Amino acid sequence: MRSNTFGWLLATAIAAFSSVTWAEVPVPKPAVTIENPGECVAPLEVIRRTHMDLLKHQRDKTLRYGEHGAKIKLNGCIDCHASKKTGSVLGSQENFCQGCHAYVAVKLDCFECHQPKNGMVKSAGAKP
Amino acid sequence: MATTIFRAIEAKGGYYALLGVCGLFLLLGAFGYFQMEHHGHVITGMDNQMVWGMPHVIALFLIVAASGALNVASTASVFGKTIYKPLAPLSALLALALMAGGLAVLMLDLGRSDRMIIAATHFNFKSVFALNVFLYTGFFTIVGMYLWFMLERRMNRWSSAAGMAAFIWRLTLTTGTGSVFGFLIAREAYQSALLAPMFIVLSFAYGTALFLLTLAATCAAARRPLGGMVVQRLKNLLATFVAASLYFVAVFHLTNLYFTRNHGVEQFILVDGGIISGVFWIGQVVIGGALPLLLLLAPGTTLGRILVACAAIVVGGLAQMYVTIIGGQAWPLDLFPGYAASSSFFDGEIHNYAPSLVEMLLGLGGFAIAALIVIIALKVLRVLPEKLDDAALLPQPGE
Amino acid sequence: MSDHTRRKFLGAAGLTGLAGSGLAALAPGVHLISLAAAHANGASSKVRWGMLVDTTRCASGCNACVTACATENAIQPGTGRPAQSSQWIRKIELNEFKTGRALSLPMMCQHCEQPPCVDVCPTGASFKRADGIVLVDRHICIGCRYCMMACPYKARSFVHEPLTEQNPEVPRGKGCVESCTLCVQRIDKGQQPACVEACTKNGRSAMLFGDLNDPASEIAKRIATTPTSQVRADLRLNPGVRYQGI
């Protein structure tokens, strides 16, 4: 059967490819610089697993309902975690957001629109 | 008739050459898309005045034609014309292929095409676009099932019901496509409920023309005889559709001319619009309307002449979409009637549009997708009957 | 936003408290209070933000509002053709055909009560806040530009290329549609939109911002006593921006 042959070929190719990847290119743990070690807004195990949910929850509250002042917010992450050298959470694998997202191979979409550097607020008045 | 034998076409050198050519255009389309995805729409001819460009012209043409390509199948299943029955599978296949090509272009032109999943999970049901998401996916499901029921002997008895469902669905779908423009209250060139029925009639013409071209090309390439009678009948049908299209276009513009406030935009489209007026009169009316009517209705038709008429209808269809989409946007919004307006944002100015290479490649990629689907399906599925000559198509006694 | 996510969120806040140090132990309480406060501070449907533009005070050639908007929202000209650059606010120069009467006015998102952009948006990215501000949720905008086709005021722009110099409070990026937000980030802090502030500072005071629903507000009083008009009032969209002297 032709389709059967194709299936086997595909399976073999996938197996070969993945074994090569595992054997020869171990992905190094990211050497992320933590600029302000200490307390995060939530325990590490919580923030590591759920930061995307927490941020998504907050973004809808802020954008759609105009609610400000929450503890968990993207600009909060950036203020605390931006590199002291470059002022950004992006730029290299040492930078906070980029380093970890590159390691886990998850596309980081926030900074297509959000400013990844801290200290860029132009608006007058105190931040909420 | 009951003994119509469907057989996959044989692949020879020419088949693979055609596959290669279409594959090349698919790659070029992919190149165009990735360029746009990487750089943004800054590398296209589109801008904040001309927000929909060539990809939309081609995508909407393909989507409208997809609905019309189902004509032959509908005539067989819904209106009981058994002569068309052997052609129904090809008709459904072409409809699916054109829809896939058109939708691909439409979705790859999005500013955030990487967020396709959002278009499938977040809905605002007041939006014609959101309704269209359902209409388009439903089209694939229903026409897909219809095709399956026709090809799978055990499911044959359900094919009429599926054909009826597909018929109703595609009329709704084209209504939805026409309404994309019909509900734009601010654009003077649109804002007419007439656009929905007009798009349906246009779809009849475009789809039947593309079907005849596909049928003739396939029969010639696969060396299968094609009877003159079925072509003759489709020719008469096509002439009716073209005449009806011209009628709708005339009524549409005459209605607009009745309202004094629309005189400006009509003057622009019909007379002063430069390339737009040229595309309207030469492309849409002469090449897409008068010429095919003449070719189809003049005595002594030949297959070649019919095919030239079909090609002219396709060109005219693209011209019609160009005039509708580009022409409609070129005319500036009138925020302050009675005043001459000017601003840094091009208020009060006629907007120009020149498509860039990448968006043309993306659009042509849509045609390539449609062609590839048809070519591959003809090879792997039993879509085309062995014989399509008059003797094979004539109703047998007792049917 | 489902209850489920909300519970997860509060659960996280609770965990914060259980985690340890004295400061963190305060966190759950602080957190809940700040949430409650945030609720009270959110956009309220009792308010309808609006603007009144006095065209008799608006000078032809004065671009203070446009410049202030560009600074506040970090809008720069793009690298492509000028027609591809975003313009959240623009100055329109008008000349009446019959009389030759000239006037100048700023045009931006009119923050309609019945916004056509919200009607046509397939994903619900175009939305109207409870206080009448029409916004684009860039998280779910797919960049189809249907809203740009539908807007009668040509108020929307499409971001044609990647951006980098955003104001952290005004996220903007390639592939999404955007328009005037009435400077929502300033309104939520109790400030005026940047254009209005600049117009006043420039000595023109042609723009007045306030709550149309509050009879005691200056804008409501002015609208109640002076003849004003809405642009394309025939469409019955009830824009929140009104003009005087057209």
Side-chain angles (χ1 to χ4, degrees):
Chain A
M1 297 288 283
R2 211 183 315 162
S3 61
N4 229 339
T5 322
F6 179 70
W8 278 111
L9 272 176
L10 190 67
T12 319
I14 291 170
F17 180 72
S18 47
S19 63
V20 165
T21 319
W22 282 359
E24 292 181 6
V25 197
V27 179
K29 286 252 170 162
V32 174
T33 317
I34 308 287
E35 294 290 7
N36 294 306
E39 288 299 323
C40 191
V41 287
L44 282 187
E45 52 274 27
V46 174
I47 208 79
R48 274 184 188 152
R49 274 166 199 247
T50 61
H51 65 280
M52 65 302 280
D53 298 325
L54 301 175
L55 285 170
K56 193 174 176 186
H57 183 82
Q58 187 50 45
R59 92 179 188 198
D60 289 337
K61 276 173 139 4
T62 308
L63 175 60
R64 300 221 162 224
Y65 304 104
E67 294 171 9
H68 297 268
K71 209 168 173 184
I72 292 172
K73 54 182 179 176
L74 187 65
N75 279 346
C77 304
I78 296 164
D79 283 347
C80 197
H81 289 293
S83 151
K84 287 196 174 135
K85 266 184 276 170
T86 62
S88 175
V89 291
L90 304 182
S92 81
Q93 307 300 54
E94 280 172 33
N95 291 78
F96 187 78
C97 296
Q98 185 178 334
C100 201
H101 270 259
Y103 177 67
V104 296
V106 173
K107 189 186 169 192
L108 186 53
D109 202 21
C110 306
F111 302 105
E112 297 264 314
C113 291
H114 285 275
Q115 177 55 257
K117 292 188 217 148
N118 63 3
M120 295 278 285
V121 177
K122 292 183 172 138
S123 199
K127 282 179 33 160
Chain B
M1 272 284 296
T3 54
T4 304
I5 299 165
F6 290 92
R7 205 153 51 83
I9 61 167
E10 283 166 36
K12 296 192 190 106
Y15 177 86
Y16 291 107
L18 188 60
L19 210 58
V21 170
C22 292
L24 182 70
F25 273 99
L26 184 70
L27 283 179
L28 287 173
F31 169 77
Y33 164 65
F34 283 114
Q35 286 291 313
M36 281 168 69
E37 168 71 10
H38 180 72
H39 296 284
H41 280 63
V42 71
I43 58 165
T44 69
M46 291 175 256
D47 53 43
N48 285 326
Q49 285 58 243
M50 201 61 77
V51 303
W52 288 349
M54 214 55 197
H56 288 80
V57 170
I58 293 176
L60 286 177
F61 172 78
L62 287 171
I63 288 169
V64 168
S67 155
L70 212 55
N71 275 342
V72 173
S74 297
T75 323
S77 309
V78 179
F79 300 106
K81 303 281 182 209
T82 47
I83 181 174
Y84 295 123
K85 224 167 179 179
L87 296 175
L90 180 64
S91 161
L93 168 66
L94 183 63
L96 287 175
L98 292 171
M99 180 59 78
L103 270 189
V105 175
L106 201 61
M107 292 167 90
L108 294 178
D109 177 68
L110 293 175
R112 297 296 307 246
S113 52
D114 55 326
R115 286 186 183 157
M116 223 86 93
I117 187 71
I118 286 173
T121 50
H122 293 67
F123 292 106
N124 163 31
F125 288 104
K126 242 188 135 179
S127 165
V128 180
F129 264 12
L131 293 179
N132 281 353
V133 172
F134 287 94
L135 290 171
Y136 295 155
T137 46
F139 185 84
F140 280 117
T141 315
I142 292 174
V143 179
M145 282 173 70
Y146 179 36
L147 183 61
W148 172 40
F149 291 174
M150 284 190 288
L151 297 183
E152 168 62 61
R153 202 164 297 170
R154 283 168 300 175
M155 305 304 281
N156 272 176
R157 58 201 167 117
W158 302 109
S159 71
S160 293
M164 177 58 101
F167 177 67
I168 295 170
W169 197 269
R170 58 101 159 204
L171 291 185
T172 319
L173 181 141
T174 317
T175 305
T177 311
S179 302
V180 164
F181 299 98
F183 291 158
L184 293 174
I185 47 161
R187 304 258 170 188
E188 292 171 37
Y190 310 134
Q191 54 179 355
S192 165
L194 205 60
L195 279 160
M198 183 162 99
F199 266 54
I200 291 182
V201 173
L202 294 174
S203 85
F204 289 167
Y206 306 163
T208 308
L210 276 171
F211 176 80
L212 268 169
L213 285 170
T214 312
L215 178 69
T218 317
C219 285
R223 298 191 200 295
R224 298 197 185 175
L226 177 61
M229 191 183 57
V230 68
V231 175
Q232 197 68 27
R233 284 216 199 174
L234 278 175
K235 180 212 87 171
N236 294 338
L237 203 58
L238 187 58
T240 318
F241 294 152
V242 173
S245 300
L246 278 177
Y247 166 77
F248 262 93
V249 171
V251 171
F252 177 75
H253 287 291
L254 287 172
T255 318
N256 274 350
L257 282 171
Y258 189 78
F259 301 104
T260 310
R261 66 183 150 86
N262 285 341
H263 285 182
V265 66
E266 283 298 323
Q267 171 91 14
F268 171 71
I269 300 272
L270 302 179
V271 185
D272 299 337
I275 188 156
I276 307 271
S277 305
V279 172
F280 175 77
W281 287 109
I282 298 171
Q284 189 179 343
V285 176
V286 175
I287 297 180
L291 176 69
L293 268 189
L294 204 71
L295 289 170
L296 294 171
L297 296 180
T301 39
T302 60
L303 181 62
R305 224 162 78 188
I306 295 174
L307 295 182
V308 172
C310 289
I313 291 169
V314 171
V315 172
L318 287 164
Q320 177 270 325
M321 286 296 174
Y322 192 89
V323 172
T324 306
I325 296 172
I326 307 298
Q329 292 175 89
W331 184 249
L333 290 170
D334 194 7
L335 271 61
F336 300 94
Y339 287 84
S342 66
S343 77
S344 58
F345 209 41
F346 310 95
D347 282 281
E349 289 175 38
I350 306 274
H351 311 310
N352 292 310
Y353 171 69
S356 71
L357 180 66
V358 283
E359 55 196 306
M360 293 301 290
L361 290 179
L362 173 62
L364 290 177
F367 277 104
I369 289 174
L372 279 171
I373 291 175
V374 172
I375 295 168
I376 293 171
L378 282 170
K379 169 87 177 68
V380 298
L381 296 174
R382 292 168 190 161
V383 175
L384 197 69
E386 258 184 339
K387 286 183 191 152
L388 280 166
D389 51 9
D390 291 345
L393 291 178
L394 269 179
Q396 303 291 309
E399 275 192 59
Chain C
M1 193 177 330
S2 67
D3 272 337
H4 178 65
T5 26
R6 190 181 155 79
R7 216 170 295 134
K8 274 207 290 199
F9 182 77
L10 291 175
L15 276 174
T16 318
L18 293 174
S21 83
L23 191 68
L26 282 172
V30 170
H31 213 120
L32 291 174
I33 288 165
S34 75
L35 257 186
H39 267 290
N41 288 338
S44 158
S45 58
K46 291 188 187 111
V47 175
R48 168 104 200 264
W49 294 121
M51 206 187 276
L52 176 62
V53 177
D54 185 350
T55 61
T56 60
R57 301 180 66 99
C58 181
S60 171
C62 173
N63 243 0
C65 53
V66 179
T67 315
C69 174
T71 311
E72 167 68 26
N73 297 299
I75 297 168
Q76 285 126 356
T79 61
R81 303 189 305 276
Q84 290 174 323
S85 296
S86 285
Q87 296 203 24
W88 288 14
I89 182 170
R90 63 191 190 268
K91 283 294 296 291
I92 298 187
E93 308 293 330
L94 293 173
N95 278 289
E96 195 172 18
F97 287 122
K98 292 217 171 71
T99 62
R101 183 170 91 99
L103 63 158
S104 181
L105 51 82
M107 177 53 59
M108 72 304 272
C109 172
Q110 302 285 295
H111 299 279
C112 308
E113 190 188 353
Q114 313 284 347
C117 55
V118 174
D119 285 348
V120 300
C121 178
T123 65
S126 275
F127 71 100
K128 193 179 62 164
R129 244 170 55 146
D131 53 6
I133 303 177
V134 176
L135 296 172
V136 178
D137 182 348
R138 290 168 203 265
H139 304 108
I140 60 169
C141 172
I142 55 173
C144 72
R145 286 105 78 202
Y146 199 9
C147 55
M148 299 175 75
M149 292 291 279
C151 176
Y153 305 103
K154 203 165 172 286
R156 290 207 156 174
S157 296
F158 179 66
V159 183
H160 283 74
E161 59 194 318
L163 302 178
T164 50
E165 298 304 309
Q166 303 96 331
N167 174 349
E169 294 181 323
V170 188
R172 309 170 54 218
K174 184 193 89 183
C176 290
V177 176
E178 58 182 13
S179 58
C180 156
T181 64
L182 268 185
C183 285
V184 66
Q185 73 281 7
R186 294 168 59 98
I187 291 177
D188 284 352
K189 283 183 257 176
Q191 300 167 342
Q192 305 236 321
C195 54
V196 177
E197 199 179 83
C199 189
T200 311
K201 252 191 210 153
N202 217 25
R204 295 274 165 202
S205 296
M207 300 172 94
L208 176 63
F209 169 81
D211 177 8
L212 297 170
N213 281 353
D214 175 9
S217 72
E218 201 192 333
I219 187 169
K221 282 188 211 156
R222 280 263 294 278
I223 286 173
T225 51
T226 0
T228 59
S229 57
Q230 299 171 327
V231 179
R232 290 301 307 266
D234 57 319
L235 297 174
R236 304 190 179 220
L237 307 171
N238 189 16
V241 180
R242 283 173 171 267
Y243 290 84
Q244 198 179 329
I246 296 182

